[in-house]
Amino acid sequence: MTLDGSRSTTIVRGAPRALGRTNWIEPATTPLRVLQCGRIRTDAHMPPVHVEPGEFETALVCLDGAGWVRVGTERFRVERYDTIYVPRDTHFMVWSATGMVDIIEARAPVEERHPLQYVSYADQQAESSVQHPGADPRSCVMLGDHAAAGRVSVGVIAGDARDAGAWPLVPDLPGAEVACCYARVPTSGQPMPVEWTDGATSHLSHVHEGDLVVGPHRWHVDARMSSGTLAVLWMLAAEREVIGDRFRLPAHSYSRSRIVP
């Protein structure tokens, strides 16, 4: 892993490729203080990966492949971008029966124990298109305002990179930390440019597929040079835990996750 950036934004290059569970970003390695990220990669030849989250609530988002997640007595099959919210102090395990599964952990410490939740990416997209036909179809919030969580929210922005329209930005919330994983980038043969601002100073860099960008930033896609899919997984953590209510995301950006009894 290498770092590239400035005071407010850091690009974490070299996504973890090792099988098993790997810590990706932790306090003191990036500008983040609350949000932590990990990665679980496993296949059919490996035993299940067991995790004791302790004080952390955890959002598990499937980046690629298909696999299984067990939380307590509940078992879920996950495919690309499906999301599971795991309460604090709740053991979970991840495994794959066939092929590789690649899962990101977005976690933050909380005091309250919220319910287990499951969000299907396909179902969430379908519901969003019906409930909010005017919303940008490329943006899909997996854990948002209606999710029962203390600090963490996650969403996916995905679509054809040749689309010349303006791409939606990651929600910009005061007091929230943000990290974006570039799950897929356009196949232009060149890394994709991103830019951010520290006060009056602008910075420009580039990302490859799998890079993690910590901090507020924008990305640009040159429709003349790019083809294929752009997919960005964004993860937010509130500065403080909100008991009994969620911090507000922009209009049309809330999810209705399924609470598992």
Side-chain angles (χ1 to χ4, degrees), residues 141-159:
V141 177
M142 303 303 291
L143 287 174
D145 282 356
H146 288 192
R151 279 179 158 176
V152 172
S153 289
V154 298
V156 177
I157 299 174

Side-chain angles (χ1 to χ4, degrees), residues 15-202:
R17 294 294 179 185
L19 292 179
R21 183 174 182 239
T22 307
N23 282 328
W24 204 350
I25 54 173
E26 298 178 287
T29 61
T30 71
L32 301 181
R33 293 295 176 264
V34 174
L35 179 64
Q36 298 187 23
C37 292
R39 197 158 180 172
I40 299 174
R41 303 181 78 243
T42 186
D43 59 23
H45 302 291
M46 286 189 60
V49 176
H50 293 262
V51 179
E52 296 287 352
E55 66 176 340
F56 291 90
E57 64 177 1
T58 306
L60 300 174
V61 186
C62 181
L63 274 189
D64 203 4
W68 294 89
V69 175
R70 186 181 184 113
V71 185
T73 60
E74 299 290 339
R75 186 174 70 168
F76 308 90
R77 187 176 188 275
V78 292
E79 299 180 349
R80 181 173 286 169
Y81 308 141
D82 290 347
T83 300
I84 296 174
Y85 173 87
V86 182
R88 61 163 291 167
D89 298 316
T90 305
H91 171 271
F92 64 88
M93 54 190 289
V94 176
W95 75 95
S96 175
T98 58
M100 173 75 69
V101 64
D102 191 349
I103 291 177
I104 278 191
E105 295 179 63
R107 55 184 182 260
V110 292
E111 295 183 3
E112 187 171 336
R113 191 176 185 276
H114 301 280
L116 170 65
Q117 295 157 77
Y118 165 75
V119 187
S120 161
Y121 179 67
D123 291 349
Q124 185 70 0
Q125 276 193 311
E127 180 172 343
S128 296
S129 65
V130 173
Q131 297 293 330
H132 305 286
D136 194 316
R138 294 167 296 190
S139 181
C140 187
V141 177
M142 303 303 291
L143 287 174
D145 282 356
H146 288 192
R151 279 179 158 176
V152 172
S153 289
V154 298
V156 177
I157 299 174
D160 191 330
R162 291 169 294 188
D163 182 357
W167 279 76
L169 296 177
V170 177
D172 182 15
L173 297 175
E177 297 181 341
V178 59
C180 293
C181 173
Y182 283 77
R184 306 176 74 181
V185 298
T187 55
S188 63
Q190 299 179 353
M192 195 174 70
V194 298
E195 73 171 355
W196 64 92
T197 302
D198 283 336
T201 304
S202 294

Side-chain angles (χ1 to χ4, degrees), residues 215-261:
H217 66 284
R218 300 170 181 263
W219 58 83
H220 304 278
V221 178
D222 190 332
R224 297 168 299 176
M225 299 176 60
S226 302
S227 63
T229 299
L230 170 64
V232 181
L233 166 65
W234 57 261
M235 299 161 276
L236 296 178
E239 187 176 53
R240 60 183 180 87
E241 184 175 356
V242 182
I243 306 296
D245 192 15
R246 293 287 286 155
F247 59 89
R248 301 278 67 119
L249 291 174
H252 305 317
S253 66
Y254 47 82
S255 65
R256 299 179 184 275
S257 54
R258 179 172 71 85
I259 294 178
V260 180

